[in-house]
Amino acid sequence: MENLTVGFIGLGLIGGSIAKALRKFHPNCRIMAYSRTLETVETAKQEGVVDIVCEKEDPFFSACDYIFMCAPVSSNIEHLQFLKDNMRPACILTDVGSVKTPIHDAIDAIGLSSMFIGGHPMAGSEKSGYANATDYLFENSYYILTPGNGVPQEKIDAFSCLISSIGGLPITISCGEHDYITAVISHLPHVIASTLVNAVQRLDGPETHMKMIAAGGFKDITRIASSSPEMWQQICSENQDNIARVIDVYIDMLKDAKEMICETGCPGVYRMFEESRDYRNSFGDSSSGPIKKSYSFYCDLYDEPGGIATITIMLAMRGISIKNIGIVHNRAFEEGVLNIEFYDEDSCRQAMTILRSRNYTVHEKN
């Protein structure tokens, strides 16, 4: 595993993060990459992540042990004939798309099923592009594998080990099951977030008070609405049957909720919130899931000059990096006037300990 040669077609957020993780955990591996934006791969080479900058159909790819297709599905499919003609027999071809059936159909049609293991890392960000790639994106995140027909078990095991080595939690399922699951737990939430944001825009008055006051819970559940429209248009197109199916179920549930709210005393509403609370509280935190876990807390802060600077300097002196910091103007659902976010759980915990030792009041998020 230490002397692997790995190729990338596409080097955005996911492809770039895999490449960076491989460089971190397997520094001796050789990494080559092609991207339609040459500047992206040149930057990755300057950073020491990529060893070889490739052209679109580059003979260097014939030396790869693994090839990650990290471009949009249509672009990945365009490369299949070249890859079939140039891949070494022992190479494993994979992708990172959030919909699996279209790429599996294309792989079957061209005769590469025994060399293909579909992949979907259940991690990401509302941001995109190589500039936002990190070497820790997949830590404790499920990474779904959908092997093609005829892939030897030893190849699946080896690929699973590679994913585990960069922090991922590999799970093997069929491509059909994958597409139905992600329609529910990934694609539907994006549709809901976008329609909820659009509802505020439509219902808000000319003074835009809704937009002004929106914070906390609203921002949390709509954060993913900031994702790439181009990417999500493609995802909906590729998985439209499953998404439409689960939207129908969700619409029926909204209608049920409306009827319960209209009942005198709303007895059914209590049961609805109780059931959702109990089920939500049963979710584990071992994986970041499709929406990356946020490591943050609220902190009370006196209204005095330099108050925020004091906190940031205090944490910086202890080597703790802050990912984001902001004033909470709407305290309806939060405690604390300052919201501080970190890159990882350990930094978050250390920061809470430090601030509490200095008599700051810190509120953990549930």
Side-chain angles (χ1 to χ4, degrees):
M1 191 178 293
E2 294 305 314
N3 297 309
L4 291 175
T5 297
V6 183
F8 289 86
I9 297 174
L11 207 65
L13 174 70
I14 300 299
S17 294
I18 295 173
K20 288 184 176 183
L22 287 171
R23 179 60 69 213
K24 175 182 179 180
F25 293 105
H26 306 285
N28 294 325
C29 72
R30 185 169 63 153
I31 298 176
M32 59 186 69
Y34 159 77
S35 175
R36 63 181 182 180
T37 305
L38 179 61
E39 182 182 357
T40 297
V41 190
E42 293 286 1
T43 298
K45 185 176 182 181
Q46 292 172 8
E47 294 177 351
V49 175
V50 167
D51 299 297
I52 301 173
V53 176
C54 294
E55 298 179 356
K56 183 175 182 179
E57 296 184 350
D58 202 305
F60 274 117
F61 282 113
S62 62
C64 291
D65 299 297
Y66 292 95
I67 296 176
F68 286 82
M69 298 187 296
C70 305
V73 173
S74 58
S75 297
N76 289 338
I77 291 175
E78 291 177 4
H79 286 84
L80 292 183
Q81 187 61 56
F82 164 76
L83 293 172
K84 180 182 180 180
D85 295 339
N86 289 273
M87 286 168 56
R88 54 193 294 262
C91 181
I92 284 296
L93 180 65
T94 186
D95 77 324
V96 297
S98 60
V99 182
K100 307 309 323 166
T101 300
I103 189 65
H104 272 274
D105 288 345
I107 288 289
D108 292 345
I110 205 169
L112 283 173
S113 297
S114 63
M115 302 176 70
F116 181 72
I117 302 177
H120 180 198
M122 302 295 288
S125 167
E126 66 273 19
K127 298 179 180 180
S128 60
Y130 178 80
N132 296 296
T134 68
D135 59 17
Y136 54 83
L137 185 66
F138 311 106
E139 291 181 2
N140 297 315
S141 297
Y142 290 119
Y143 196 119
I144 299 179
L145 308 182
T146 59
N149 295 324
V151 178
Q153 185 60 47
E154 59 267 25
K155 287 291 185 181
I156 300 174
D157 294 340
F159 189 44
S160 295
C161 288
L162 181 64
I163 297 305
S164 296
S165 73
I166 63 173
L169 305 173
I171 298 177
T172 301
I173 59 177
S174 70
C175 62
E177 183 182 7
H178 166 276
D179 288 353
Y180 178 64
I181 290 173
T182 53
V184 178
I185 56 94
S186 178
H187 305 162
L188 178 62
H190 277 80
V191 173
I192 293 171
S194 294
T195 53
L196 183 55
V197 170
N198 290 339
V200 169
Q201 182 181 31
R202 181 178 299 181
L203 297 172
D204 207 355
E207 300 84 3
T208 66
H209 287 159
M210 290 185 187
K211 178 181 179 181
M212 184 188 308
I213 297 172
F218 183 86
K219 285 189 174 179
D220 285 343
I221 64 176
T222 60
R223 176 173 54 84
I224 53 177
S226 297
S227 301
S228 165
E230 179 184 10
M231 178 182 73
W232 280 100
Q233 179 190 29
Q234 185 173 47
I235 288 172
C236 288
S237 175
E238 293 164 355
N239 202 25
Q240 60 187 173
D241 290 343
N242 282 315
I243 297 173
R245 177 182 168 190
V246 300
I247 286 177
D248 283 340
V249 174
Y250 188 69
I251 288 173
D252 289 339
M253 295 179 70
L254 284 177
K255 289 179 179 178
D256 291 341
K258 178 183 176 181
E259 291 179 2
M260 288 185 286
I261 290 171
C262 292
E263 292 176 353
T264 302
C266 304
V269 173
Y270 177 88
R271 292 192 300 272
M272 178 183 71
F273 285 120
E274 182 182 43
E275 290 175 4
S276 64
R277 178 202 62 190
D278 293 345
Y279 187 62
R280 175 63 180 81
N281 288 344
S282 72
F283 290 6
D285 287 330
S286 59
S287 168
S288 65
I291 304 171
K292 201 69 175 175
K293 180 177 175 61
S294 174
Y295 304 105
S296 59
F297 56 76
Y298 297 113
C299 178
D300 282 337
L301 186 68
Y302 292 113
D303 185 10
E304 58 184 12
I308 296 177
T310 300
I311 288 177
T312 57
I313 292 172
M314 189 185 307
L315 297 181
M317 291 178 65
R318 300 292 292 271
I320 298 174
S321 296
I322 294 174
K323 181 179 182 180
N324 200 3
I325 189 168
I327 299 292
V328 178
H329 295 290
N330 183 343
R331 301 283 295 278
F333 298 100
E334 299 85 32
E335 295 180 285
V337 71
L338 197 65
N339 181 30
I340 312 176
E341 185 180 4
F342 301 85
Y343 288 97
D344 54 70
E345 184 175 10
D346 186 55
S347 296
C348 185
R349 291 291 175 188
Q350 288 186 48
M352 284 193 290
T353 300
I354 292 168
L355 293 179
R356 283 171 175 162
S357 71
R358 298 297 185 92
N359 296 319
Y360 285 91
T361 301
V362 174
H363 308 272
E364 296 187 50
K365 291 188 178 181
N366 294 324

